[in-house]
Amino acid sequence: MRSPVLEVRDLQVHFRVDAGSFFRHDYHSIRAVDGISLDVYPAETLGIVGESGCGKSTLARALLGLQRARGGSIKWLGDEFVGASEEFLRKKRREIQIIFQDPSGSLDPRMTVGEIVAEPLKTFFPSMSKMQIRERVSGMLQMVGLRSDQLNRYPHEFSGGQCQRVGIARALVVNPRLVVCDEPVSALDVSIQAQIVNLLKDLQQKLQLSLIFIAHDLSVVRHVSDRVLVMYLGRVMELADRESIYHAPRHPYTRALIESVPIPDPVRERARARRSLQGDMPSPLNPPSGCVFRTRCPFAIDRCAAEVPELEMLEDGNRVACHRHRELPGEPWPESDEADEEVSPT
Ligand code: SF4
């Protein structure tokens, strides 16, 4: 049996915010990540989806040790990250790299592309000679579809897609084992998105990388992921293999997210049932009792307000956190008067 490279158990990341006035402080705790557990296996892609503000990016930062966790455990190849020293985390960052959302904004405009890609090599491999670094950087640029003669150019001379290729080269140049892709294509034109997603897929297979792919676009996540984790208000709603998530979703939130992906056929798009999410996501300052999704769930019953549903392991190894998951998959989505006010999963 395969062992995971990353094991996360009951991870908690809380922020303290002052919701008081000019005269009086009133501190509250926001549970941005509230008891997340997940595993990532060698050479697999775990997709993470959910609406904006659900805690996806905070989770990503916590996994990299860039955001301190309040509790729980993050084990990377057996080493515990929660509570570890900054020096220890810095050393481990070579093995876990990140690709950011905004390709242009994440590159230093004063540095050439060659310097940007070489920077992590100088940090993690201080004994490498200038010649070795130059060769490695040139090879890396070619691997991501750029030319080695573009080494001396600056980020502003590149398109958004090319800048993201530079970001990918910078992340991969130090031979990481896990790469966290935090919405890597959401700032790019649709025509470029597919190129970058295909590049990441190719590189993953070539280098046998593990990927965590965060996106709000479910069609993108479907294309790259082996398993998908659905988050809502800092918690896991469903964690399942790609086919189950898309063909037999068990959680009402997953169903609503899938239904909100437009079908590129206007006739089928108009004809299909509208399963809209009503209202906005509740404030994380004051999450609902019981199931956090209950204020937008058309299937909620009294038990949903009283009891937090456990993330239950099912016979097929998938997981779901819903009191009614056994009875709901066959039930039609209730008609809504507000169907036109569909909430997109951004
Ligand atoms: S536990 Fe209740 S409120 Fe939550 S998703 Fe299931 S049915 Fe809906």
Side-chain angles (χ1 to χ4, degrees):
M1 201 176 130
R2 288 188 309 163
S3 302
V5 285
L6 181 72
E7 294 171 84
V8 178
R9 296 290 176 269
D10 195 23
L11 187 66
Q12 319 261 346
V13 182
H14 297 182
F15 297 110
R16 199 160 167 254
V17 294
D18 185 359
S21 64
F22 182 75
F23 302 102
R24 192 171 141 262
H25 294 296
D26 186 10
Y27 291 106
H28 291 257
S29 181
I30 289 184
R31 295 166 177 246
V33 174
D34 193 12
I36 297 265
S37 296
L38 59 88
D39 291 324
V40 180
Y41 291 88
E44 91 155 342
T45 299
L46 176 70
I48 299 183
V49 293
E51 289 167 274
S52 177
C54 73
K56 308 184 295 280
S57 293
T58 306
L59 172 63
R61 291 179 59 78
L63 298 181
L64 287 148
L66 299 172
Q67 175 66 55
R68 285 287 179 173
R70 183 176 185 271
S73 165
I74 301 170
K75 279 204 173 142
W76 168 249
L77 298 171
D79 288 325
E80 181 59 73
F81 277 15
V82 175
S85 70
E86 194 49 49
E87 192 192 346
F88 177 81
L89 291 173
R90 247 198 315 273
K91 279 186 197 153
K92 290 289 164 188
R93 267 179 212 137
R94 183 194 71 74
E95 295 163 23
I96 308 180
Q97 289 286 307
I98 185 165
I99 297 167
F100 293 101
Q101 177 178 358
D102 178 6
S104 312
S106 61
L107 306 178
D108 189 334
R110 296 161 304 180
M111 295 168 81
T112 64
V113 159
E115 288 168 340
I116 288 169
V117 178
E119 193 178 41
L121 279 179
K122 291 177 183 166
T123 305
F124 292 109
F125 301 99
S127 59
M128 276 182 94
S129 68
K130 280 187 181 168
M131 181 64 82
Q132 286 171 321
I133 288 176
R134 196 174 173 87
E135 276 174 16
R136 175 81 182 140
V137 171
S138 297
M140 206 65 237
L141 288 182
Q142 286 170 18
M143 196 182 271
V144 299
L146 296 171
R147 298 191 316 272
S148 51
D149 63 3
Q150 292 173 315
L151 270 173
N152 295 321
R153 298 213 184 151
Y154 288 86
H156 73 266
E157 299 176 66
F158 289 85
S159 66
Q162 286 176 318
C163 282
Q164 194 55 296
R165 288 175 192 267
V166 175
I168 293 169
R170 181 183 160 96
L172 299 187
V173 76
V174 290
N175 274 334
R177 294 190 59 178
L178 170 69
V179 178
V180 178
C181 309
D182 188 3
E183 305 238 19
V185 295
S186 55
L188 303 175
D189 289 346
V190 175
S191 56
I192 307 296
Q193 287 185 1
Q195 293 174 17
I196 297 297
V197 166
N198 287 335
L199 172 67
L200 283 168
K201 258 185 107 172
D202 288 349
L203 290 171
Q204 186 210 16
Q205 278 163 16
K206 201 178 286 174
L207 305 172
Q208 288 294 291
L209 285 168
S210 301
L211 291 187
I212 292 180
F213 196 99
I214 297 172
H216 61 264
D217 185 336
L218 281 158
S219 51
V220 172
V221 170
R222 177 182 196 169
H223 191 60
V224 295
S225 305
D226 299 299
R227 292 183 301 137
V228 179
L229 182 151
V230 180
M231 271 184 86
Y232 187 81
L233 269 185
R235 297 188 194 171
V236 179
M237 298 290 108
E238 188 161 0
L239 174 54
D241 62 88
R242 175 178 54 190
E243 293 310 309
S244 303
I245 278 278
Y246 287 95
H247 297 300
R250 287 167 167 118
H251 197 284
Y253 182 53
T254 314
R255 282 170 71 178
L257 287 183
I258 289 168
E259 284 297 319
S260 69
V261 175
I263 299 174
D265 173 346
V267 178
R268 281 177 59 211
E269 173 67 16
R270 268 198 300 275
R272 73 174 174 168
R274 306 294 294 265
R275 295 172 186 176
S276 61
L277 279 174
Q278 300 300 304
D280 297 324
M281 197 187 310
S283 164
L285 272 173
N286 188 20
S289 63
C291 173
V292 285
F293 185 57
R294 72 177 169 81
T295 52
R296 300 168 82 191
C297 179
F299 302 106
I301 53 176
D302 289 349
R303 184 183 173 198
C304 304
E307 266 179 60
V308 177
E310 270 184 37
L311 187 64
E312 190 184 327
M313 167 87 88
L314 308 174
E315 304 74 33
D316 55 8
N318 294 326
R319 292 166 183 261
V320 63
C322 172
H323 294 308
R324 304 188 65 199
H325 71 85
R326 292 199 188 275
E327 57 196 280
L328 288 183
E331 272 201 33
W333 193 270
E335 287 295 324
S336 159
D337 297 339
E338 298 169 52
D340 289 336
E341 290 175 27
E342 212 162 331
V343 177
S344 86
T346 56

